[in-house]
Amino acid sequence: MGLVVQKYGGSSVADAESVKRVAKRIVETRQAGNDVVVVVSAMGDTTDDLIDLAKQVSPVPPARELDMLLTAGERISMAVLAMAIANLGHEARSFTGSQAGVITDSEHGKARIIDVTPGRISSALADGAIAIVAGFQGVSQSTKDITTLGRGGSDTTAVALAAALGADVCEIYTDVDGVFSADPRIVPAARRLPVITYEEMLEMAASGAKVLHLRCVEYARRFNLPIHVRSSFSHRTGTWVTADYTGNDPEGNPVEQPIIAGVAHDRSEAKVTVVGVPDKPGQAAAIFSAVAGSGINIDMIVQNVSGAATGRTDISFTAPRTDGAKAVQALEKIQGEIGFESLRYDDQVGKISLVGAGMRSHPGVSAKLFGCLAEAGVNIEMISTSEIRISVVVREDDVNTAVTAAHTAFDLDDPEGGAVVYGGTGR
Ligand code: ADP
Ligand code: ASP
Ligand code: MG
């Protein structure tokens, strides 16, 4: 008996049948004597379809209106799910993010939660109802406009509500059995990780493993709230995301800490190269100030050694593809001032990252990664590292080959095989 916060992703509520299946699962949790708060995503690929619709009427839709449009997706699923629960004889009340007290800053499309005031959720629970909350959305404290938290943001809604309501755990239900050593859609031999630390999961999420939203992991770590990632299509134990390996998962099963937790990949970035930058102090500062001024987050940066004859160098960086056009525009504006020769934009790149806390104490991990990529015929274009991560940029077409090669080289393949993907389109 306690308070349970459950989040169901888009593929878990893709159609009427799925909604009814999820409703049954929620009612079972309620009947076991728990108070239940459910966070729900838009049905299936609704968010992508709404983005496509917006682009048909405006190539660069105003951010405020795009947020207003996208939040409609979660409003549909919350109401439909509440109806399905009512049909099973239980009271469920749906709430928008704003009604649930999810207060954010005013950055449309990537708003951050700054406060959670779930008074209406607590009242609904006190009345014996199941509370259903639309994920991925909030209301700006300053402008009072409706905001979204970025793609995949419903995970963050769930963790933020769980923390604010004092839940013991946040359950994230999705279309795979937990967090795996690689995306099961690419590597069928991926193994389920019984436990992963916040630290490793942060690196995995930041490196493109979209099974959890990055901010949700940051939030859970801040409040030391365990997350249980599991499938809504099975009753198997999933993956516990917690502070550290204690030798057991929170259910008491023994767990060994691997050297490498997994391989993540990301196809959402583009590479920009500023060609022929005069090699003198202040140039990098000017280039990256211009890009930052447009609100763009840079990921990797590489600066070449300048050619002795020319006194010029090339600087490449990666940034989200969705910000690619903005980055190029910002740089074109300062071309005269800096005097670089040209710009190259490449959105046919992908990134693969090896993540594991064991890297700190095991030498040779980079050499082994680069070696296995060479053997697989994959060319490396950029490299970056953190204490527990190595990332490389490769051709987008090489991503699957690179992920599979690294997974095998680091002995991550599960001999039993058979990671199950229950639903979703992987879009
Ligand atoms: P939801 O709609 O439930 O939020 P997402 O599509 O956002 O689901 O996230 C689940 C998907 O994440 C899986 O179907 C899988 O393809 C992908 N994924 C990527 N990396 C991993 C990983 N390391 N472990 C598990 N799933 C992963
Ligand atoms: N529906 C939103 C998306 O597709 C949010 C989420 O699913 O978490 O990104
Ligand atoms: Mg998701």
Side-chain angles (χ1 to χ4, degrees):
M1 291 251 286
L3 169 66
V4 177
V5 176
Q6 300 183 331
K7 177 258 170 177
Y8 291 90
S11 49
S12 298
V13 291
D15 51 29
E17 277 317 305
S18 312
V19 170
K20 287 201 259 182
R21 181 175 51 80
V22 164
K24 246 176 92 192
R25 192 157 189 151
I26 294 166
V27 165
E28 279 163 17
T29 311
R30 178 76 189 104
Q31 281 172 335
N34 300 292
D35 283 338
V36 187
V37 177
V38 175
V39 173
V40 70
S41 294
M43 295 171 74
D45 288 334
T46 300
T47 308
D48 290 297
D49 296 341
L50 291 173
I51 292 173
D52 291 346
L53 172 65
K55 294 243 161 91
Q56 283 173 43
V57 295
S58 163
V60 189
R64 179 188 185 279
E65 303 312 325
L66 186 60
D67 273 1
M68 197 60 115
L69 176 68
L70 297 190
T71 54
E74 270 70 10
R75 289 180 73 137
I76 293 172
S77 37
M78 73 177 188
V80 173
L81 181 58
M83 290 173 195
I85 293 173
N87 192 48
L88 297 174
H90 284 258
E91 193 194 348
R93 285 184 210 162
S94 63
F95 298 92
T96 64
S98 167
Q99 289 175 323
V102 179
I103 316 290
T104 71
D105 64 17
S106 57
E107 279 289 318
H108 286 292
K110 48 181 165 190
R112 292 187 82 95
I113 296 177
I114 52 184
D115 197 9
V116 183
T117 52
R120 295 195 64 186
I121 305 300
S122 304
S123 306
L125 295 178
D127 292 346
I130 295 166
I132 315 285
V133 179
F136 169 63
Q137 55 183 268
V139 61
S140 158
Q141 191 170 52
S142 55
T143 64
K144 310 294 179 219
D145 283 329
I146 297 300
T147 54
T148 62
L149 310 179
R151 298 304 308 270
S154 298
D155 300 337
T156 303
T157 307
V159 168
L161 275 172
L165 292 164
D168 295 329
V169 53
C170 180
E171 295 186 322
I172 305 275
Y173 285 92
T174 185
D175 53 18
V176 288
D177 278 312
V179 180
F180 282 76
S181 50
D183 186 341
R185 283 178 209 271
I186 294 188
V187 184
R191 62 176 74 209
R192 179 183 60 85
L193 307 175
V195 173
I196 185 169
T197 61
Y198 294 130
E199 185 191 36
E200 288 168 322
M201 194 62 229
L202 278 174
E203 292 280 9
M204 291 282 284
S207 306
K210 68 170 183 158
V211 61
L212 284 180
H213 193 229
L214 175 60
R215 295 256 177 79
C216 118
V217 189
E218 287 173 353
Y219 218 100
R221 177 165 72 166
R222 178 146 36 103
F223 290 91
N224 199 22
L225 179 81
I227 302 176
H228 188 186
V229 184
R230 55 194 306 196
S231 168
S232 70
F233 299 80
S234 81
H235 279 84
R236 296 186 188 164
T237 295
T239 297
W240 286 90
V241 189
T242 61
D244 46 41
Y245 289 90
T246 55
N248 295 304
D249 72 13
E251 290 170 314
N253 307 306
V255 172
E256 233 180 279
Q257 175 160 22
I259 298 169
I260 301 299
V263 188
H265 71 281
D266 192 347
R267 298 179 208 268
S268 71
E269 294 192 343
K271 182 168 86 167
V272 179
T273 304
V274 191
V275 181
V277 182
D279 198 5
K280 59 182 190 202
Q283 300 294 68
I287 287 171
F288 291 107
S289 301
V291 177
S294 299
I296 299 167
N297 284 324
I298 301 287
D299 182 17
M300 290 191 199
I301 301 177
V302 171
Q303 175 174 344
N304 290 335
V305 183
S306 68
T310 61
R312 287 176 181 267
T313 180
D314 296 345
I315 297 180
S316 297
F317 64 87
T318 59
R321 265 181 217 177
T322 44
D323 287 336
K326 257 201 298 184
V328 169
Q329 272 169 16
L331 290 168
E332 277 168 352
K333 275 198 203 131
I334 58 163
Q335 181 164 13
E337 176 195 328
I338 297 200
F340 62 80
E341 285 162 6
S342 59
L343 286 172
R344 272 208 299 265
Y345 180 71
D346 181 354
D347 60 5
Q348 306 287 300
V349 294
K351 183 172 76 172
I352 84 143
S353 304
L354 197 65
V355 174
M359 267 182 218
R360 286 198 181 96
S361 47
H362 284 75
V365 175
S366 310
K368 189 164 168 180
L369 174 65
F370 303 156
C372 82
L373 294 180
E375 233 170 80
V378 174
N379 187 43
I380 299 172
E381 300 188 8
M382 293 169 96
I383 300 170
S384 87
T385 61
S386 83
E387 233 186 317
I388 65 161
R389 173 187 52 79
I390 306 168
S391 302
V392 297
V393 170
V394 299
R395 288 287 91 209
E396 186 174 5
D397 290 346
D398 284 338
V399 165
N400 289 9
T401 309
V403 170
T404 308
H407 197 267
T408 303
F410 285 89
D411 295 326
L412 297 173
D413 291 350
D414 184 348
E416 320 256 295
V420 186
V421 177
Y422 296 93
T425 57
R427 194 173 167 184

